[in-house]
Amino acid sequence: MKHKYSIVLIFISFIAFSAHAQDTVQQKDLMGLIFGEKKKNDGQSRKERRFEFGALPYIAASPSSGLKFGAVSNIHYRLGNDSTTKKSAGTVSLAYTTKKQLYFYFRDLTYFPRNQWAADFDIRYNNNNENTYGLGTQTEKSAKELLNFSTIRSNISLMYRISKALYAGGGINYNYYYNIRGYEDTVSDPYYQYNTSLNINPTHSTAAGFNLAALYDTRDNIINAYRGINLRATYSVLMKILGSDQAWQHLWAELRAFKSLTANHKHRLALWSYASIVFNDDVPYMNLPAVGYDLMGKSARGYTIGRYRGNQLLYAELEYRASLVPSDLIGAVVFVNASTASTPDKSIKLMQYVSPAAGVGLRLKLNKFSRTNISIDYAVGKHSSGFYLDISETF
């Protein structure tokens, strides 16, 4: 598999440095270099449209999925006047991986005219397989057990603007894990042992309920921010009366902060941190907080999705971003992250064990209007490493 990653990296690098030969101070992107920059009648390049839509064949890679092939459509749009309405962004993706996984997801954050309302959509279907290692941040890599499962997920929140950048509201949660299988050794398998000890069906689980949501957002761009902060908090209440197998609550609190170090935004810092906490002792295993279980499944580069799991999880990441050429066509990042998780029986507490990782990456400007990048990263964690290829920033 490693030689396939190398081929992809060499191919992307060839595009980057071929494009660099045509580089000028004018801002450029790969879409313009490949398909040509559209000009207006007066010879000037077009300005940003109210709707920026792009659909592309999709190649990605990560330790959890191997190579991923499919199609992705990014929509960057504004529903109201440019001076009074923020830009909205949505992504639809369908992909199949070399590990025989099928992914479909729709992610969207919409700001309505005059920013009076904001809607957050997270809808997905996965036919997946994933290694699990037990609970807490002290688990050994040798303890992994493979689980196969399918997921249907629909989390939607509608929020009303309280102040200039603060929104509050609520919505619905529905998460269904089914066809869960793979625990051949029921004595040692952490998933099977945990669920059966709580009389939870090991083959499927349903979490259904409602959420209370708050959003504070001052980012200048949703897809790739140069400045501003994004605070998000969701308190979910899962109830048997609404179809949930178990009754429990979950808190998600997240911070993303962006700071330009220079006036031309060529050098930037980006910070991402979140807390994911459940408040009951009988939460199904697949619903426990885990690294990589964020909205886009991108936390903890250097580790596989689900590598660390527990009833409480804290995560933090710091990334330095730089433009390498005057046109912003090519950029680079350096990042560090850390994860810590506790166990429901309190034998392992938060911060008792911390798993760090660090890495470097290359950025190629795919669309200069939406600031969408192709990202190529390599990260090293504790007894773990990974190559990542994707369209969009990690956060």
Side-chain angles (χ1 to χ4, degrees), residues 217-320:
D217 194 356
T218 63
R219 292 173 297 174
D220 65 322
N221 181 286
I222 294 177
I223 293 177
N224 184 2
Y226 289 164
R227 61 182 181 273
I229 64 173
N230 174 235
L231 288 167
R232 184 191 302 263
T234 305
Y235 186 78
S236 301
V237 180
L238 296 310
M239 306 172 65
K240 290 184 178 180
I241 194 172
L242 296 179
S244 187
D245 291 336
Q246 311 293 128
W248 50 283
Q249 295 85 45
H250 174 237
L251 173 66
W252 175 274
E254 179 179 17
L255 165 67
R256 302 182 185 213
F258 306 88
K259 172 70 174 179
S260 285
L261 303 178
T262 57
N264 60 6
H265 311 300
K266 300 293 185 182
H267 301 272
R268 309 175 298 281
L269 285 178
L271 171 68
W272 180 23
S273 180
Y274 68 77
S276 183
I277 300 170
V278 296
F279 294 99
N280 300 67
D281 295 330
D282 57 351
V283 178
Y285 190 94
M286 298 303 294
N287 293 111
L288 290 172
V291 295
Y293 277 39
D294 53 282
L295 287 176
M296 299 304 293
K298 292 188 175 183
S299 59
R301 279 174 290 179
Y303 299 98
T304 56
I305 293 175
R307 175 62 183 89
Y308 298 112
R309 186 186 305 263
N311 64 321
Q312 298 176 328
L313 175 71
L314 296 180
Y315 177 76
E317 178 166 351
L318 181 66
E319 185 170 270
Y320 167 70

Side-chain angles (χ1 to χ4, degrees), residues 135-378:
L135 304 181
T137 331
Q138 87 295 353
T139 54
E140 296 295 333
K141 189 174 181 180
S142 59
K144 69 179 180 181
E145 298 285 346
L146 182 65
L147 283 179
N148 298 276
F149 59 92
S150 297
T151 310
I152 297 174
R153 177 173 177 171
S154 180
N155 296 334
I156 302 171
S157 300
L158 181 64
M159 295 165 284
Y160 182 75
R161 188 178 70 176
I162 297 175
S163 64
K164 183 177 180 180
L166 178 63
Y167 294 79
I172 59 171
N173 292 62
Y174 181 81
N175 293 271
Y176 179 45
Y177 290 91
Y178 63 102
N179 289 341
I180 306 173
R181 60 200 185 281
Y183 37 88
E184 297 178 359
D185 186 351
T186 57
V187 175
S188 62
D189 187 275
Y191 168 82
Y192 183 86
Q193 289 297 316
Y194 174 88
N195 269 16
T196 54
S197 70
L198 298 173
N199 294 319
I200 297 173
N201 193 315
T203 63
H204 61 83
S205 66
T206 302
F210 66 90
N211 67 70
L212 301 175
L215 173 68
Y216 181 80
D217 194 356
T218 63
R219 292 173 297 174
D220 65 322
N221 181 286
I222 294 177
I223 293 177
N224 184 2
Y226 289 164
R227 61 182 181 273
I229 64 173
N230 174 235
L231 288 167
R232 184 191 302 263
T234 305
Y235 186 78
S236 301
V237 180
L238 296 310
M239 306 172 65
K240 290 184 178 180
I241 194 172
L242 296 179
S244 187
D245 291 336
Q246 311 293 128
W248 50 283
Q249 295 85 45
H250 174 237
L251 173 66
W252 175 274
E254 179 179 17
L255 165 67
R256 302 182 185 213
F258 306 88
K259 172 70 174 179
S260 285
L261 303 178
T262 57
N264 60 6
H265 311 300
K266 300 293 185 182
H267 301 272
R268 309 175 298 281
L269 285 178
L271 171 68
W272 180 23
S273 180
Y274 68 77
S276 183
I277 300 170
V278 296
F279 294 99
N280 300 67
D281 295 330
D282 57 351
V283 178
Y285 190 94
M286 298 303 294
N287 293 111
L288 290 172
V291 295
Y293 277 39
D294 53 282
L295 287 176
M296 299 304 293
K298 292 188 175 183
S299 59
R301 279 174 290 179
Y303 299 98
T304 56
I305 293 175
R307 175 62 183 89
Y308 298 112
R309 186 186 305 263
N311 64 321
Q312 298 176 328
L313 175 71
L314 296 180
Y315 177 76
E317 178 166 351
L318 181 66
E319 185 170 270
Y320 167 70
R321 301 173 177 177
S323 297
L324 299 182
V325 296
S327 70
D328 289 335
L329 179 66
I330 306 172
V333 302
V334 179
F335 56 88
V336 292
N337 65 57
S339 309
T340 179
S342 62
T343 57
D345 63 5
K346 299 180 176 58
S347 61
I348 301 296
K349 297 179 175 59
L350 281 178
M351 305 303 296
Q352 185 173 345
Y353 297 92
V354 177
S355 292
V360 296
L362 179 70
R363 297 294 180 267
L364 307 177
K365 187 72 68 182
L366 181 64
N367 186 309
K368 64 185 179 183
F369 297 107
S370 66
R371 299 185 195 164
T372 301
N373 285 334
I374 294 175
S375 61
I376 307 167
D377 296 323
Y378 183 76

